[in-house]
Amino acid sequence: MANEINTIGVLTSGGDAPGMNAAIRAVVREAIIKGKKVMGIKRGYAGLLQEEITEMNARSVSDIIQRGGTILQTARCQEFTTPAGQKKGADICRKHGIDGVIVIGGDGSFRGAQKLAANGINTVGVPGTIDLDIACTDYTIGFDTAVNTAMDAIDKVRDTSTSHERCSIIEVMGRGAGFIALWCGIANGAENVLLPEKYDYDEQALVNNIIESRKQGKQHHLIINAEGIGHSTSLAKRIEAATGIETRATILGYMQRGGSPTARDRMQASIMGAYAVDILCDGKSNRIVGEKNGRMFDIDIDEALAMDKSVGDYEYLVSCNLSK
Ligand code: ADP
Ligand code: F6P
């Protein structure tokens, strides 16, 4: 692996997340301040294998800190999951003089970074996913914006749900993780939250809870359903049949991945992007940047990918207690 880093590549990979642009901007400008050359790699590992690589300067990242999405665009790339694809990617980096690559993405993208490192290219990962499901870190770029977007949308559904005295099931993203659902459950004051980590599929208990809360004088019944549970539309039909209460399903979908990043996402993405450049220039490789208890740190990718993370038991208990 390179001892001295002269040229840094940067790519975004996996699902996009608001704040990725702030991270790209930080990488480019921190690297330039340190006298390094920066190459933007478009469309993640797919763009690397297609050699979609162009030099970036400080002006390449003007006017992007406030924008959702990623100016480098993102893609999923099957070829890069093969040893031949990974070697080709590393050879292309060497051909373009790239000594180190900063990968902004989720767990899958970090597995790619691990393979690039094994093929002789220094790598640092920056956690970017709305799902918050990267075990080694308390913060991932985009979660704060996504959860605020979902919360605003759910407030709107709540208005109409109350007016019509309906039960509303709102499905939020998160792949196999329930972080967005749990946060919305508490922040929106939902009556039920169905999390992949906790829901036992006891639908009768759910139905009983809806009937009971109606008896207690509740005018609506909000159920936040995590994507990992899914099937919101069919669940709505079954609940309506079992309770006699009009029930509607709303699947929030991709709106949660877009939009202007919150102050927190802009701030943290900027710090993480700069930190990634700093440790890459210090000669570190195969690392992920993380944040715990308000402090930045970096950790070996192999170690980080072996860690587990789940929604907090206490937060889940509170969401249940406060919904009565
Ligand atoms: P995320 O980074 O958000 O978890 P994915 O799991 O889709 O998203 O991974 C993004 C990309 O990372 C994949 O399309 C693939 O190119 C690369 N990748 C994923 N897993 C591996 C792996 N085991 N080895 C090499 N590359 C991988
Ligand atoms: O990882 C972010 C995410 O939005 C998940 O919440 C969701 O399951 C997935 O990406 C959807 O991915 P795609 O863009 O491939 O539909």
Side-chain angles (χ1 to χ4, degrees):
M1 291 193 198
N3 290 325
E4 197 189 343
I5 301 292
N6 293 308
T7 301
I8 295 175
V10 56
L11 62 84
T12 49
S13 169
D16 66 347
M20 280 185 166
N21 280 329
I24 296 167
R25 173 179 175 272
V27 167
V28 171
R29 294 198 176 162
E30 180 79 359
I32 288 169
I33 288 285
K34 288 181 166 267
K36 312 297 176 191
K37 196 167 155 184
V38 190
M39 306 298 274
I41 302 164
K42 295 208 84 175
R43 298 174 47 248
Y45 297 115
L48 174 62
L49 297 186
Q50 298 295 319
E51 296 191 53
E52 294 178 50
I53 300 170
T54 45
E55 188 170 351
M56 299 179 85
N57 60 39
R59 293 288 72 74
S60 316
V61 290
S62 294
D63 199 27
I64 66 166
I65 195 165
Q66 78 285 12
R67 282 202 249 151
T70 157
I71 60 161
L72 289 175
Q73 299 179 287
T74 182
R76 296 195 163 99
C77 175
Q78 186 55 36
E79 188 185 351
F80 199 74
T81 61
T82 65
Q86 293 148 15
K87 182 179 177 302
K88 182 176 163 190
D91 287 342
I92 289 170
C93 286
R94 279 184 278 272
K95 178 178 162 192
H96 289 261
I98 297 171
D99 319 294
V101 177
I102 294 177
V103 173
I104 306 167
D107 278 349
S109 305
F110 297 153
R111 287 184 208 286
Q114 197 179 31
K115 303 293 168 23
L116 261 188
N119 279 278
I121 302 297
N122 290 14
T123 56
V124 174
V126 174
T129 167
I130 64 164
D131 301 337
L132 197 69
D133 61 349
I134 298 175
C136 66
T137 179
D138 287 346
Y139 168 83
T140 64
I141 295 170
F143 173 75
D144 191 60
T145 306
V147 86
N148 276 287
T149 301
M151 183 189 73
D152 284 349
I154 294 165
D155 281 345
K156 294 181 170 77
V157 175
R158 182 193 184 108
D159 289 344
T160 174
S161 194
T162 309
S163 303
H164 288 261
E165 298 177 85
R166 280 177 177 156
C167 172
S168 291
I169 302 173
I170 301 122
E171 187 172 312
V172 297
M173 274 188 165
R175 207 183 291 243
F179 294 102
I180 297 178
L182 178 60
W183 276 59
C184 289
I186 294 178
N188 292 102
E191 277 66 35
N192 290 99
V193 192
L194 310 184
L195 307 175
E197 300 89 342
K198 301 282 181 195
Y199 185 48
D200 59 4
Y201 293 89
D202 185 351
E203 222 166 281
Q204 190 55 50
L206 184 62
V207 164
N208 294 345
N209 185 248
I210 296 165
I211 294 169
E212 185 54 32
S213 69
R214 187 53 56 104
K215 282 189 195 150
Q216 300 297 321
K218 292 221 178 200
Q219 293 176 312
H220 60 243
H221 195 101
L222 291 188
I223 300 172
I224 311 296
N225 188 27
E227 178 187 8
I229 304 275
H231 305 289
S232 296
T233 307
S234 52
L235 179 62
K237 287 192 182 126
R238 290 198 300 277
I239 287 177
E240 182 164 316
T243 62
I245 296 168
E246 267 193 325
T247 304
R248 297 283 192 272
T250 306
I251 298 168
L252 294 185
Y254 291 98
M255 65 180 295
Q256 295 161 94
R257 280 222 314 240
S260 180
T262 58
R264 174 142 207 244
D265 277 331
R266 296 181 198 195
M267 167 76 180
Q268 296 279 54
S270 300
I271 302 291
M272 282 185 161
Y275 191 98
V277 170
D278 292 348
I279 63 171
L280 197 59
C281 292
D282 286 346
K284 289 193 180 181
S285 179
N286 201 49
R287 310 291 291 179
I288 297 177
V289 176
E291 188 256 356
K292 272 222 183 290
N293 303 321
R295 296 184 75 91
M296 282 303 141
F297 65 92
D298 54 280
I299 179 172
D300 185 78
I301 296 186
D302 307 18
E303 207 182 311
L305 291 178
M307 291 164 78
D308 282 330
K309 178 179 185 178
S310 186
V311 293
D313 291 335
Y314 184 68
E315 286 81 356
Y316 180 63
L317 179 68
V318 168
S319 84
C320 297
N321 290 346
L322 301 190
S323 68
K324 300 291 180 253

